[in-house]
């Protein structure tokens, strides 16, 4: 599970900041939210925070999908 922290419109896609175990995230992965909206990861970027260990828990995702109605949490779709 990934908590959606914020989102930023970039062209026709959104960059979404998430918190969670980011080791499973990769390009092309399909995510869903609690509203059953479906999103595809186009790009995964690591973020830099004050604590060096934070890079394990925070990422920036460029997603395609219905971003206007994104929920508070994202889940990996099996």
């Amino acid at each position: 599970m990934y908590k959606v922290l914020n989102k930023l419109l970039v062209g026709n896609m959104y960059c979404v900041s998430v918190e969670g175990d980011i080791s499973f995230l990769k390009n092309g992965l399909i995510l869903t939210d609690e509203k059953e909206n479906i999103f595809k990861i186009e790009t995964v970027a690591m973020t830099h925070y004050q604590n060096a260990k934070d890079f394990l828990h925070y990422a920036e995702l460029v997603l395609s999908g219905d971003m206007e109605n994104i929920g508070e949490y994202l889940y990996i779709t099996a």
Side-chain angles (χ1 to χ4, degrees), residues 2-50:
Y2 301 94
K3 182 177 181 179
V4 175
L5 302 175
N6 57 46
K7 65 181 181 178
L8 171 69
L9 180 62
V10 180
N12 62 346
M13 295 185 197
Y14 277 86
C15 181
V16 178
S17 299
V18 296
E19 177 183 8
D21 181 0
I22 65 167
S23 62
F24 299 105
L25 300 177
K26 62 182 180 178
N27 295 355
L29 189 68
I30 302 298
L31 303 173
T32 58
D33 65 7
E34 69 273 14
K35 300 176 185 179
E36 299 183 9
N37 294 317
I38 299 171
F39 307 95
K40 179 181 176 187
I41 297 178
E42 300 294 337
T43 303
V44 178
M46 304 304 158
T47 55
H48 300 281
Y49 286 88
Q50 302 285 354

Side-chain angles (χ1 to χ4, degrees), residues 45-57:
M46 304 304 158
T47 55
H48 300 281
Y49 286 88
Q50 302 285 354
N51 183 346
K53 292 182 182 179
D54 284 348
F55 80 93
L56 298 170
H57 303 287

